[in-house]
Amino acid sequence: MIRRTPMQWKRYGTIAAVLVALSGGAYFFWLSSQSAGLPAGITGSNGRIEAERIDIAAKLPGRIAEVLVSEGQWISAGDLVATMDAVEIEAQLHQAQAAVAQAEQQKLQAEALLNQRLSEAEFARAEHARTERLAANGHATQEQLENRKTVLTTAEAGVAAARAGIDLADATIAAANASVERLQSVRNDADLVAPREGRVQYILAKAGEVVGAGGRVVTLTDLTDVYMTVFLPARDAGLLAIGSEARIVLDPIPDYVIPATVTFVASTAQFTPKSVETADERDQLMFRVKLTIPEDLLEEYQEQTKAGVAGVGYVRTDDTVPWPDTLSVKLPQ
């Protein structure tokens, strides 16, 4: 092992500090050079085109049955992206549907029983009334009247029990239907669909693989929300207003100028010196700014839109300053 002397370690530390200072100075020199040649009130900074990504994931653990898309493919909202193995869930769903049919048959039986009990109660009521008239005229004994009363009471109790049987059948049907709805929801979750239109960026799992709950299967790039992120010093970021016009020039097509809008300015600095005591140090505070391309323009140039392309974003810190001719909107025909 090579041993370093304290003097050597000190020398290496000094060299590292100088390199850090030089790299920081080079960065700020580059940043200031971006605005060179621009009129006062307009500034620019390097950035990269970004798009929101949507991870299409499995809600429940299971085996992937089929992946129906390929990388780079354009898909619409609601398109089927992949399917999970749902044999077990489908069996449970069929069982629950059979339970619903069984409960409905039980209700039909309960309704038939109720009609029978109503007929019996009506007959018992008529017999009791006739026996009462006979007993009043001395043609029937008190014992016969009491027997008819008992039969009537029993018949009325049978009617009440039959009505309760129908209520029980209704509750059983409701419970069975709820089970069907729950299992149908689980079955629907086995079909992974695109929540929005966009382009397939990555396929993260293949057919036959087992994924856990929340396991990502496909990553979709939402090309309806495309923007460039730039970093501006505090003196410029503090003058920006949400909704202000912006311009984007991409490295592969420098002859074209794309319109954009300032949709976000960070409330806290991204790069902060160890201590902020002087005006120069405050100028070194860098804030993240988001320049969003209009959705209708993205739709028009859907096939040409790609994330990851580098370029320069320009903003106006003074809305009264007109854009120079070099930054006038110019789009491919």
Side-chain angles (χ1 to χ4, degrees), residues 136-167:
N137 295 327
H139 300 298
T141 64
Q142 186 65 28
E143 181 181 0
Q144 289 175 320
L145 180 61
E146 290 177 354
N147 287 340
R148 294 297 182 187
K149 177 66 174 176
T150 301
V151 171
L152 177 58
T153 301
T154 302
E156 290 176 342
V159 170
R163 292 188 189 279
I166 292 178
D167 292 338

Side-chain angles (χ1 to χ4, degrees), residues 64-123:
I64 299 174
E66 189 176 9
V67 178
L68 304 171
V69 297
S70 56
E71 291 183 351
Q73 180 180 343
W74 180 268
I75 57 177
S76 301
D79 283 354
L80 187 61
V81 172
T83 59
M84 305 293 292
D85 186 355
V87 174
E88 182 178 353
I89 293 298
E90 288 176 348
Q92 294 177 8
L93 180 59
H94 293 155
Q95 182 179 6
Q97 291 169 339
V100 172
Q102 182 180 5
E104 290 174 344
Q105 289 299 317
Q106 290 174 345
K107 181 179 180 179
L108 292 176
Q109 293 176 354
E111 289 174 342
L113 181 61
L114 175 61
N115 291 331
Q116 179 183 347
R117 294 291 183 259
L118 287 172
S119 297
E120 292 173 353
E122 184 65 24
F123 178 77

Side-chain angles (χ1 to χ4, degrees), residues 2-270:
I2 300 175
R3 298 183 179 275
R4 307 291 187 187
T5 65
M7 184 61 69
Q8 288 176 317
W9 284 116
K10 183 176 180 181
R11 183 181 306 148
Y12 292 149
T14 302
I15 293 173
V18 170
L19 290 175
V20 170
L22 288 175
S23 61
Y27 172 76
F28 288 109
F29 172 78
W30 164 84
L31 185 64
S32 62
S33 67
Q34 297 300 313
S35 301
L38 294 176
I42 297 179
T43 186
S45 178
N46 267 21
R48 190 178 298 274
I49 292 294
E50 301 177 47
E52 290 298 330
R53 291 183 178 178
I54 302 172
D55 289 327
I56 302 176
K59 184 176 180 180
L60 300 173
R63 187 182 303 278
I64 299 174
E66 189 176 9
V67 178
L68 304 171
V69 297
S70 56
E71 291 183 351
Q73 180 180 343
W74 180 268
I75 57 177
S76 301
D79 283 354
L80 187 61
V81 172
T83 59
M84 305 293 292
D85 186 355
V87 174
E88 182 178 353
I89 293 298
E90 288 176 348
Q92 294 177 8
L93 180 59
H94 293 155
Q95 182 179 6
Q97 291 169 339
V100 172
Q102 182 180 5
E104 290 174 344
Q105 289 299 317
Q106 290 174 345
K107 181 179 180 179
L108 292 176
Q109 293 176 354
E111 289 174 342
L113 181 61
L114 175 61
N115 291 331
Q116 179 183 347
R117 294 291 183 259
L118 287 172
S119 297
E120 292 173 353
E122 184 65 24
F123 178 77
R125 194 173 294 107
E127 285 296 305
H128 178 264
R130 187 174 65 84
T131 302
E132 276 187 327
R133 290 194 298 271
L134 292 175
N137 295 327
H139 300 298
T141 64
Q142 186 65 28
E143 181 181 0
Q144 289 175 320
L145 180 61
E146 290 177 354
N147 287 340
R148 294 297 182 187
K149 177 66 174 176
T150 301
V151 171
L152 177 58
T153 301
T154 302
E156 290 176 342
V159 170
R163 292 188 189 279
I166 292 178
D167 292 338
L168 177 60
D170 285 335
T172 304
I173 291 173
N177 279 325
S179 180
V180 169
E181 291 175 0
R182 179 182 63 82
L183 291 171
Q184 186 63 61
S185 176
V186 175
R187 174 60 187 85
N188 292 341
D189 287 334
D191 293 335
L192 308 184
V193 299
R196 298 193 64 175
E197 66 176 359
R199 196 178 304 281
V200 177
Q201 187 75 13
Y202 303 110
I203 295 178
L204 304 173
K206 302 293 185 181
E209 294 183 13
V210 176
V211 296
R216 297 180 299 167
V217 179
V218 172
T219 296
L220 181 68
T221 300
D222 180 9
L223 294 180
T224 64
D225 185 7
V226 178
Y227 56 90
M228 173 180 280
T229 297
V230 297
F231 293 90
L232 298 176
R235 64 178 179 275
D236 294 328
L239 298 175
L240 289 179
I242 300 297
S244 297
E245 289 184 0
R247 297 288 188 265
I248 294 175
V249 178
L250 300 177
D251 292 349
I253 47 174
D255 294 334
Y256 298 107
V257 179
I258 303 170
T261 304
V262 176
T263 55
F264 174 81
V265 179
S267 58
T268 56
Q270 306 299 310

